[in-house]
Amino acid sequence: MKEDKRDLKTPSGSSVFVSVGGGEPEPDELIEAAHDDIRAVPASEEMRDFACGHRGSSLYHMDLYGQVLHNNGTSPEKCGECAAAWFRSITCRCSLCGLAILPGGGVALYDYSRKMKPERVTEVASGAIGCMRWFCCPSGGFFAGHWTGTGFRSAFAGGGTIVDEVARTGEAAVGVPDGMAAAQVPEEPRLPPRPPRRPWYRRLWNRVGGR
């Protein structure tokens, strides 16, 4: 599906589009959700009883609207149905591509458009939530905050996007928690480099397995 991203606006009605080089940028093709469900995909014919009290496939992958989180070979403590229900409870959907946004994920905010498929739209008081995936969000100017697992947390005191904050204050925007002035952000301490962290989706997947 081709989506003309130039029609997208922030909740305040601002258009945000970044051009690299000369001429009008070409709209990108969205990579969309393959379906409208979160479900476990059996990865083993072996069955077992789980701590949740249910019986099911001992190994499974998690399919989040077509984005598959693959099991690392260790049988989780929850059955596939319970794990799927848990993921449904902590995720929201991108109003554009329909893929999952998990806790800690940065989100964009858009003005609701009739071009958006209703079954994919996640609306909050400030607008329609979108993901920050490179193939979906047309510009970092739409960034507005994070999904917490229970709701949207704004990065700006004004509750809008980066471009809305710049228009509101006339100053460069710094993404900080709602109500916190940029001057209050502590300087990052100079510490020895940390070992690389596991990706957020792997950490969540390990939580399902109690690891």
Side-chain angles (χ1 to χ4, degrees):
M1 179 190 77
K2 286 285 186 179
E3 176 77 35
D4 192 344
K5 298 178 184 177
R6 287 168 292 191
D7 290 343
L8 294 172
K9 296 182 183 299
T10 70
S12 68
S14 300
S15 296
V16 185
F17 210 89
V18 177
S19 175
V20 179
E24 286 293 318
E26 290 294 325
D28 296 327
E29 184 175 359
L30 287 176
I31 301 176
E32 296 188 83
H35 51 79
D36 296 315
D37 192 18
I38 293 179
R39 58 200 181 200
V41 180
S44 172
E45 295 183 356
E46 180 183 351
M47 305 291 285
R48 58 159 287 198
D49 294 321
F50 289 87
C52 60
H54 302 133
R55 185 173 179 80
S57 177
S58 61
L59 292 176
Y60 54 83
H61 308 305
M62 290 305 306
D63 182 342
L64 283 65
Y65 310 116
Q67 177 188 9
V68 180
L69 303 183
H70 291 277
N71 188 284
N72 62 3
T74 303
S75 183
E77 293 184 359
K78 297 180 180 178
C79 73
E81 288 298 318
C82 287
W86 180 72
F87 271 100
R88 292 188 198 104
S89 72
I90 63 169
T91 62
C92 70
R93 298 189 73 178
C94 172
S95 298
L96 295 182
C97 69
L99 292 175
I101 302 174
L102 288 109
V107 300
L109 280 183
Y110 304 105
D111 184 30
Y112 177 78
S113 168
R114 287 178 294 179
K115 291 184 178 181
M116 297 176 180
K117 296 183 179 180
E119 64 272 18
R120 296 180 176 179
V121 174
T122 298
E123 283 196 90
V124 295
S126 306
I129 283 183
C131 70
M132 294 297 296
R133 294 177 175 90
W134 66 267
F135 56 77
C136 184
C137 183
S139 166
F142 283 101
F143 170 76
H146 296 84
W147 177 253
T148 67
T150 58
F152 165 69
R153 182 174 60 203
S154 176
F156 307 107
T161 64
I162 285 181
V163 72
D164 294 331
E165 187 71 3
V166 170
R168 185 181 72 87
T169 64
E171 300 177 356
V174 179
V176 296
D178 189 14
M180 181 185 291
Q184 293 177 306
V185 181
E187 182 179 352
E188 183 176 356
R190 299 181 180 276
L191 298 174
R194 298 178 179 178
R197 297 182 68 190
R198 292 169 297 173
W200 54 265
Y201 54 82
R202 176 56 60 192
R203 298 197 302 272
L204 283 168
W205 181 235
N206 287 345
R207 283 179 59 188
V208 177
R211 297 185 295 276

